[in-house]
Amino acid sequence: FYHMDLYGSKERFDIFPEEPSGQGDRSLGDTRRESALSSEKFQHSQEAGYDLEKEVAELAKMYGLDEDREKELELLGGHLEMVESRWLPAHTEKAGSQSSICNASKSSPPVKNQSQNTKQQGLPAEASQDEDQSKPRAEDEAESHTWSREGLSSGSVSDEWSSQAINEEEEAADVFCSTCKMPIRAFDKLFGEHKDHEVAQLPSAVESEKEEVRKNMCKLEEQIAQMENFASHLEEIFITVEENFGRQEQNFEVHYNDAVQVLAQKYEEQLEALGEEKRQKLEALYGQLVSCGEHLDTCKELTDTTQELYLENDKANFMKVKSFNWQALEEFLKKEVDLELSTLPDFEERVIDFSEVEQLMNSINTIPAPCAPVINPQAPNAATGTSLRVCWGLFSDDTVECYQLCYKPVSNERCSDEQAEHTLKVKETYCTITNLLPNTQYEFWVSALNASGISPPSERAVYVTAPSPPTIKSKKIRSCENAALVCWESRDVNPVDSYMVELSKLTDEENGDIITESIVGIPNCEVLIHLQPTQSYRICVRALNLSGSSERSEPVLIHTTGTYFCLNEDTAHPLLAILDDGFTIACDELENPECDLPVYDNSFTRCIAILGSLIPFPGKHYWEVEVEEDTEYRIGVAFENTPRHGYLGANNSSWCMRHIITPSRHKYEFLHSGMTPDIRITVPPRRIGILLDYENCRLSFFNADIAQHLYTFNSRFQHYVHPCFALETPGILRIHTGIAIPLWTAL
C-alpha cells in the first residue's frame, strides 16, 4: 500500500494484507491463515509505535529538520490512530461473523443442498453410501462459500481504507520533486525513494510551473496569431490571384473580341463593296443588252419593210413608199452601233488593311488599362476666391502611373477663350487648381493612365469658387444710438447665395477686437443691425455660396454715440455742391436757378436743396447745422416723395425752418404746407440743433449755442423721413452728425 520504507524493516511493509476483491472461490484454510497472519502483523505494528517515533526524531536531527519534527510526528500519530480505529474493529467483526456463519452452516445447510438431499431420498439403496461421502464435501463447499463472501466484505473495507489513505497522501503533499517532476510529501524526502532528489516548496514550484505554462501559452498564442495572419494573408493572396486572373481573362477576352469585331466589320465592308461592284457591272451589262435588243428589233423591222417594198409591183406606190422608208432607213444607218463591252467581267483585287487588327493584337498586355476613377463632390472649405481643391478615388486594384485632370468653366455668357479646356497631369488623387475666377462654376473630370492606355473619363463634377469679398459703401452707412443700416455691393458677376456680417466691438483691452456677433442668411446687400449705445464697432461682410464664404471685406467703423447719415447726391440741385468732407454744401450763384445744367431724375429743380439719407430707426435722432448769419436757408425733414419741383415747407410732405434777411431784421419761419406760426427770435442762431422724435411725433429746433428751444412741430410721421437742406442765397451749410442728444433738449 505504501511505496516507501515506512518502518525501516522488510516485515513492516506487510502491515495490511492485500486481499483482492472478487476471489470468492479461495479455500477456507487459506482464508484462515491470512487472517491469522494479519492479526500478528497488526500486533507487531502496535509494538513498533514507540520505536518509530524514535527513529523519526533521530533522522530529523541528522538532516536538520527539527522544525518539521512536530508536523511529522502529528502525521505518524494520526496514521497509527487510523490503523487502530479502522483495521482492528473490522477484523474483530469479521471473526465474529465467521464463527456465526460456521455454526449456522452446521445446523442448517444451504437450500441448494437440501433440495439435493430431497432428490437423493428417492434413489436406490446402493446410492446411500455415495450420499454419505458427498455430505462432508457439501459442508466444506458451503463453508468455503461463506468465507468467500466474508473475504469480499473484508476486501471492500481494505479498498475503502486504501482509497482514503491515498487521498490523505495526496492531500499531504507539500513539496515538489524537481527530478521526478511530481509533488511529494516532506516525509518522502527523508525516507522514501526521493532522498537524493532535488526538491522545492510546492507553492514556489506551482508558481514556477504556472509561469512556465503561461510562457508556453504566450508562445502558442503568438504562433497561433502568426499562423492566423499568415493564413489570412494566404487567403488574400488567393483572392487576389483569382481577381487578377479574372481581370486578365476579361482583358484578353475584350481585346480578342475587339479584334474579331474589327475583322468582322472589315469583312462586312469588303463584302458590301464587292457586292456593290457586282451590281454596277450587272446593271451596265444589262443596259447594254437591252440596247442591243432594241437595235436588233429595229433592224429586223426595217428589213421586213424594205423587203415588202422591194416586192411591190405598183411603181407609183413603190416610189411613194420608198421615199418615206428610205428616209427612216438612212437615219437608222447613221446611228453608230456600240459593239464594245461597257464593263469588264474581272473584279479589282482588294487589299484588306489589317493594321488596326495588328494594333489591337499588340495592345494585349498583362497590365490592363485602368478603370474610370470616381471624382468626389466638392468638400466644405475646399475653395477660395481663386482656387479649388479637387479630390477623386480609384476603387480598383488597377496599376496607375498618373492621372489626367481636365476642367473648364461652366458655359455662360463669357467669351470663348475662357471656355477652353485645361489639362493637368498629377501623381496623387488630389490637385489644387489656382488662377480661377471668383464665384464661378467649373466642370472637372479625371482619367487614369498606365502603360496600357488611358481609362474612360470619370463623371463630371461641378465645383464653385468662393465669392469675392464685398465692398461696403461707407458713405451710405446710417446709424443711431442703438442700430445701424449697413450697405455694400458685390464684386462678383454671378449672384451669390447670401451674405454674413461680422461685428467686432472695439474695447480698450490689449487683446484687440472681440467678435461679438455674426449675422448670417442676409439675402440682400444691406442689413439693419441692432447695437448697444455709446459703443464703437468694426463691421466686416462676407459673401457666401455653395463652396463656402469669401474673405472679409475691408472693415468700417460705426459709432453709436448719435445719429449718422450721409447726403444723397442724386437729389442735389445742379447749383448745389458737396465739399470733400461730404457734410458741407455750398452754392456760389443763384442767377438762374432753373438753368440747363444736367439733372438727375430724383434731384430738385427749383429749390436749391438736397436730401440726406433716410433715417429708418425709430426713437430720437439729433443733428446740428452750422449756418452763417447772412445766408438764407431752409433746414428740416421731408418724406421721400416730396415734390422735387417745389420748395421745402411749401407742401404737406416737408417740415422746415426758414431764415430770411429783411432790411429791418432776421426773420425765421417754421413752414409746413406753406404755413408758419408768428415767432420772433431775437438771437440769431449760428448752430441749429434738430431733434426728430418718431415715437412722440415731434420735430424740434434749438439754438445749440445757448441751449434755447426755438419751435416744435407736432405731427404724426406716417413714414420715415429724410433730413433736408436748402440755400436761397450764396453761402454754405455745415452738417454735424453723430452727436449725442443734449440733456437740455428734454427740458
Side-chain angles (χ1 to χ4, degrees):
F1 178 73
Y2 282 103
H3 303 286
M4 76 242 351
D5 190 4
L6 185 60
Y7 303 112
S9 63
K10 186 176 180 181
E11 296 180 4
R12 290 166 186 167
F13 276 108
D14 302 327
I15 297 176
F16 306 109
E18 295 182 359
E19 297 178 5
S21 60
Q23 298 180 359
D25 56 347
R26 297 173 61 187
S27 63
L28 179 62
D30 294 339
T31 306
R32 288 175 179 176
R33 284 195 298 273
E34 289 176 359
S35 176
L37 183 59
S38 299
S39 300
E40 183 179 358
K41 288 182 179 180
F42 176 69
Q43 291 176 2
H44 281 292
S45 66
Q46 283 184 327
E47 293 175 358
Y50 179 76
D51 296 337
L52 177 62
E53 185 176 353
K54 271 176 139 188
E55 291 179 7
V56 171
E58 290 176 1
L59 290 172
K61 186 175 180 181
M62 181 185 301
Y63 288 97
L65 300 174
D66 294 338
E67 62 275 6
D68 298 335
R69 181 179 178 186
E70 295 181 0
K71 181 178 178 181
E72 294 173 357
L73 289 176
E74 290 177 0
L75 179 62
L76 291 176
H79 175 69
L80 294 176
E81 289 176 0
M82 180 186 65
V83 172
E84 294 175 358
S85 61
R86 299 185 111 179
W87 193 84
L88 183 59
H91 278 262
T92 306
E93 181 180 359
K94 180 172 147 185
S97 63
Q98 288 176 358
S99 61
S100 62
I101 291 172
C102 291
N103 295 330
S105 64
K106 291 180 180 180
S107 60
S108 59
V111 177
K112 181 179 179 183
N113 295 333
Q114 289 180 359
S115 63
Q116 291 177 356
N117 293 335
T118 305
K119 292 179 181 180
Q120 290 174 0
Q121 288 177 359
L123 295 176
E126 57 265 24
S128 63
Q129 186 176 358
D130 295 335
E131 181 182 354
D132 294 338
Q133 292 178 358
S134 62
K135 197 172 195 180
R137 187 167 60 250
E139 291 177 355
D140 290 340
E141 290 178 357
E143 186 177 0
S144 176
H145 180 71
T146 304
W147 280 103
S148 297
R149 285 186 284 125
E150 183 180 344
L152 285 172
S153 62
S154 175
S156 64
V157 172
S158 176
D159 292 342
E160 181 182 356
W161 184 86
S162 298
S163 63
Q164 291 180 358
I166 291 173
N167 292 335
E168 289 179 1
E169 179 185 2
E170 292 177 355
E171 292 176 359
D174 53 359
V175 294
F176 180 77
C177 180
S178 302
T179 304
C180 300
K181 301 296 182 182
M182 61 180 295
I184 62 174
R185 297 183 305 165
F187 192 80
D188 298 341
K189 170 64 179 173
L190 298 176
F191 307 106
E193 58 184 0
H194 303 281
K195 287 182 180 180
D196 299 331
H197 295 176
E198 183 180 355
V199 297
Q201 294 295 325
L202 189 59
S204 62
V206 170
E207 292 296 329
S208 177
E209 292 297 326
K210 284 185 177 180
E211 182 65 22
E212 189 68 23
V213 170
R214 189 187 64 81
K215 291 180 180 178
N216 292 333
M217 288 180 64
C218 292
K219 292 180 180 178
L220 287 175
E221 290 177 356
E222 290 179 359
Q223 290 185 3
I224 289 172
Q226 291 177 358
M227 295 304 296
E228 288 179 350
N229 292 335
F230 184 68
S232 177
H233 182 63
L234 287 178
E235 290 178 359
E236 292 178 357
I237 296 300
F238 183 86
I239 295 173
T240 303
V241 169
E242 291 288 344
E243 292 178 352
N244 291 339
F245 173 77
R247 281 199 300 269
Q248 296 302 326
E249 183 180 12
Q250 185 179 4
N251 181 39
F252 290 150
E253 183 179 357
V254 169
H255 281 78
Y256 282 117
N257 288 339
D258 291 343
V260 171
Q261 185 177 359
V262 170
L263 286 174
Q265 183 178 358
K266 288 187 174 297
Y267 171 78
E268 294 292 337
E269 292 176 355
Q270 294 294 334
L271 188 62
E272 183 179 357
L274 190 62
E276 180 67 20
E277 185 178 359
K278 171 187 174 183
R279 184 186 63 79
Q280 293 177 359
K281 286 180 178 292
L282 292 178
E283 287 180 355
L285 291 174
Y286 180 76
Q288 192 172 12
L289 182 62
V290 170
S291 178
C292 289
E294 293 176 353
H295 190 78
L296 184 60
D297 292 340
T298 305
C299 288
K300 288 182 178 181
E301 183 180 354
L302 290 175
T303 301
D304 294 341
T305 304
T306 304
Q307 188 175 1
E308 292 177 358
L309 180 64
Y310 180 77
L311 297 177
E312 180 68 35
N313 295 323
D314 189 358
K315 295 180 180 180
N317 190 23
F318 174 80
M319 293 304 295
K320 182 178 180 181
V321 175
K322 182 256 179 187
S323 61
F324 174 77
N325 290 336
W326 188 259
Q327 184 178 1
L329 181 61
E330 285 182 353
E331 290 179 0
F332 177 76
L333 293 176
K334 286 181 181 179
K335 293 182 180 179
E336 295 182 0
V337 180
D338 187 7
L339 299 179
E340 294 181 0
L341 293 176
S342 60
T343 181
L344 297 177
D346 299 330
F347 286 85
E348 297 180 2
E349 294 185 1
R350 299 182 178 274
V351 179
I352 302 177
D353 184 11
F354 290 99
S355 60
E356 187 176 356
V357 179
E358 292 177 357
Q359 184 178 0
L360 286 174
M361 297 299 293
N362 295 331
S363 65
I364 299 177
N365 200 323
T366 56
I367 301 177
C371 300
V374 178
I375 194 165
N376 300 339
Q378 184 172 356
N381 302 321
T384 65
T386 58
S387 67
L388 284 170
R389 180 182 175 88
V390 184
C391 301
W392 59 89
L394 187 68
F395 296 97
S396 65
D397 296 332
D398 296 335
T399 302
V400 176
E401 296 179 358
C402 64
Y403 295 94
Q404 179 175 291
L405 178 65
C406 302
Y407 68 95
K408 68 174 183 178
V410 176
S411 300
N412 50 26
E413 297 179 356
R414 299 182 184 276
C415 58
S416 59
D417 294 339
E418 296 180 352
Q419 304 300 323
E421 294 184 3
H422 303 274
T423 303
L424 298 173
K425 287 190 176 182
V426 293
K427 294 287 187 180
E428 298 79 10
T429 57
Y430 61 88
C431 181
T432 301
I433 300 92
T434 57
N435 300 324
L436 303 178
L437 298 175
N439 195 32
T440 304
Q441 294 182 344
Y442 288 87
E443 279 185 328
F444 289 90
W445 63 97
V446 63
S447 301
L449 290 85
N450 61 12
S452 299
I454 184 171
S455 72
S458 66
E459 295 290 335
R460 299 198 176 195
V462 177
Y463 281 53
V464 185
T465 53
S468 301
T471 301
I472 299 179
K473 300 178 181 179
S474 56
K475 292 184 177 181
K476 293 188 176 182
I477 293 178
R478 289 154 279 174
S479 65
C480 62
E481 292 184 351
N482 52 17
L485 183 65
V486 183
C487 303
W488 60 86
E489 62 182 0
S490 175
R491 294 163 50 189
D492 298 314
V493 176
N494 299 322
V496 300
D497 294 340
S498 62
Y499 296 93
M500 177 175 62
V501 175
E502 296 178 350
L503 306 179
S504 301
K505 183 187 295 185
L506 300 181
T507 62
D508 296 333
E509 299 178 2
E510 296 181 357
N511 295 332
D513 302 342
I514 301 175
I515 300 296
T516 58
E517 185 179 0
S518 294
I519 304 173
V520 298
I522 304 171
N524 302 319
C525 291
E526 66 176 18
V527 63
L528 180 63
I529 308 171
H530 296 282
L531 305 174
Q532 298 177 359
T534 66
Q535 300 291 334
S536 297
Y537 294 88
R538 177 178 282 114
I539 295 181
C540 301
V541 181
R542 295 178 185 263
L544 288 84
N545 63 7
L546 294 176
S547 64
S549 65
S550 69
E551 299 294 330
R552 290 180 180 177
S553 65
E554 290 295 328
V556 294
L557 292 177
I558 292 179
H559 305 281
T560 57
T561 53
T563 300
Y564 286 86
F565 59 85
C566 56
L567 298 178
N568 191 350
E569 298 180 3
D570 295 340
T571 62
H573 189 277
L575 295 177
L576 196 64
I578 302 175
L579 301 187
D580 294 338
D581 61 359
F583 292 96
T584 302
I585 59 176
C587 181
D588 295 334
E589 55 180 353
L590 297 177
E591 294 180 356
N592 188 11
E594 298 181 0
C595 59
D596 296 332
L597 294 175
V599 296
Y600 300 101
D601 295 337
N602 199 30
S603 60
F604 287 92
T605 57
R606 178 174 295 182
C607 180
I608 305 177
I610 189 173
L611 295 180
S613 56
L614 186 69
I615 301 178
F617 317 111
K620 296 181 179 181
H621 305 278
Y622 180 81
W623 64 94
E624 294 181 353
V625 181
E626 186 177 350
V627 299
E628 295 179 349
E629 189 174 352
D630 56 350
T631 302
E632 296 183 356
Y633 53 84
R634 297 177 188 234
I635 56 176
V637 297
F639 288 142
E640 173 68 29
N641 60 354
T642 189
R644 301 296 193 264
H645 57 277
Y647 289 92
L648 297 178
N651 47 59
N652 60 359
S653 60
S654 59
W655 298 259
C656 69
M657 172 183 174
R658 181 186 183 190
H659 174 229
I660 305 173
I661 301 175
T662 62
S664 59
R665 62 185 180 89
H666 293 275
K667 183 179 180 181
Y668 294 91
E669 297 177 345
F670 296 92
L671 298 170
H672 176 62
S673 298
M675 301 179 63
T676 179
D678 186 11
I679 296 177
R680 291 181 177 268
I681 299 176
T682 57
V683 179
R686 300 292 301 272
R687 192 180 184 97
I688 302 172
I690 303 173
L691 177 63
L692 174 63
D693 189 350
Y694 280 120
E695 295 178 356
N696 296 318
C697 304
R698 293 180 180 178
L699 177 65
S700 302
F701 296 87
F702 300 89
N703 186 341
D705 292 333
I706 59 176
Q708 179 186 12
H709 175 259
L710 301 179
Y711 184 74
T712 297
F713 288 101
N714 292 300
S715 178
R716 182 175 298 275
F717 302 105
Q718 298 177 355
H719 309 284
Y720 290 120
V721 296
H722 296 257
C724 57
F725 312 91
L727 287 171
E728 296 185 341
T729 59
I732 60 174
L733 295 177
R734 293 185 177 88
I735 304 161
H736 301 275
T737 61
I739 303 172
I741 300 176
L743 297 178
W744 43 262
T745 58
L747 300 178

